Amino acid sequence: METIVLDIGETLVRDDRHWASWADWLGVPPHTLGALVGAAVSQGREATDALRILRPGMDVEEACRARAAAGRGEHLDESDLYQDVRPALGELRAAGVRVVVAGDGTVRAGELLRALDLPADLVVTSDEWGVRKPDPEFFARVAEASGAAPEATLYVGDHPADDLFPAAAAGLRTAHLRRGPYGHWWADHPDVVETADFRIDALTELVGLVGAKEATGSTTSEGSPASDGSPASDGSPASDASPEGTTKVVRRGALRSVRQVY
């Protein structure tokens, strides 16, 4: 791999401060909101659905603006980073790999991340690009920012539907990170096992992947074969063939999968 691109939330940055702040804003115990976030994740729903359960009809973006106006907006410092972030990114750059941070986030989040002076060649958020995951345009921007061919670019993230599947559909190599609610809950789902080129438990494992030989077919770091059209291990059928060049959305259990057929 020549370039490694990393997601932000629950890949580089811990989300516990984020959810604790929301719980305080809504006046509920942190464990109540945490449990609802977990329930949403286990159902394959957006984590922000937990906020709407507590406040039906909530406009989350409007609430974010209200929090910022009240001086309760985004905050990010060194304590929000996972401990393996600086060692892993530093080793990757020392190995000659281009390191890009690109994930969903506000313009303010981008400013806060860059202020941390991470060992990265580029740090950018979705709002700065004007497009959010899993929109294919986001991953087109990732491919452009990579400066390398798609097959020499590895996208690393925890969220199957927002990170893994659309990155693979864009032709990028992929690494699924077992971290955060989505990363842990969906780690062994058949779609994740079949789609990810690598499955990792820590960012420091990325350094060992830099010299990994290009495979003729996608495999996970455990050596699991890529999907060959056979039934999934959960008993559900594999994705039906789609016309060449089309994107197919399927469901296996509660997990949304986006696959590109080439």
Side-chain angles (χ1 to χ4, degrees):
M1 264 73 70
E2 298 176 23
T3 300
I4 291 184
V5 186
L6 300 107
D7 173 44
I8 298 172
E10 290 300 346
T11 297
L12 303 185
V13 176
R14 301 163 55 101
D15 281 349
D16 43 335
R17 183 203 296 267
H18 170 79
W19 293 115
S21 177
W22 269 111
D24 184 60
W25 177 259
L26 296 174
V28 301
H31 75 272
T32 298
L33 180 54
L36 291 172
V37 169
V41 168
S42 69
Q43 295 171 23
R45 298 166 60 180
E46 295 297 328
T48 50
D49 284 351
L51 301 174
R52 299 182 184 94
I53 291 173
L54 291 167
R55 297 291 185 273
M58 169 188 276
D59 184 323
V60 176
E61 291 188 5
E62 182 179 329
C64 286
R65 289 191 291 270
R67 290 183 58 193
R72 307 273 295 276
E74 293 179 90
H75 180 81
L76 184 66
D77 62 31
E78 191 72 20
S79 67
D80 294 300
L81 296 177
Y82 278 98
Q83 292 185 348
D84 59 357
V85 171
R86 287 195 182 276
L89 271 57
E91 290 182 29
L92 288 170
R93 292 191 79 189
V97 177
R98 176 172 168 81
V99 176
V100 175
V101 174
D104 278 345
T106 63
V107 172
R108 174 61 176 161
E111 295 170 349
L112 292 170
L113 277 169
R114 286 187 290 273
L116 293 177
D117 194 25
L118 295 171
D121 297 281
L122 174 68
V123 176
V124 65
T125 65
S126 57
D127 281 9
E128 291 173 323
W129 273 349
V131 61
R132 297 178 66 83
K133 298 182 298 183
D135 193 309
E137 179 59 27
F138 178 91
F139 290 93
R141 296 294 298 269
V142 166
E144 181 182 355
S146 163
E151 62 271 16
T153 301
L154 182 71
Y155 192 84
V156 183
D158 64 294
H159 197 304
D162 287 351
D163 299 327
L164 176 63
F165 301 139
L172 305 175
R173 303 290 297 278
T174 58
H176 180 256
L177 177 62
R178 188 192 293 263
R179 176 173 285 174
Y182 287 101
H184 282 286
W185 186 261
W186 296 105
D188 297 320
H189 190 280
D191 281 1
V192 172
V193 174
E194 293 171 4
T195 302
D197 292 290
F198 305 99
R199 292 187 291 148
I200 60 176
D201 295 312
L203 296 180
T204 46
E205 295 178 43
L206 293 172
V207 179
L209 304 183
V210 171
K213 294 182 179 179
E214 298 297 323
T216 55
S218 174
T219 61
T220 71
S221 58
E222 288 94 342
S224 303
S227 174
D228 59 1
S230 58
S233 60
D234 62 355
S236 59
S239 302
D240 296 333
S242 298
E244 184 175 354
T246 64
T247 299
K248 185 178 181 65
V249 179
V250 298
R251 282 187 181 274
R252 287 181 178 163
L255 179 60
R256 184 176 77 251
S257 302
V258 182
R259 298 291 178 82
Q260 180 76 30
V261 180
Y262 296 98

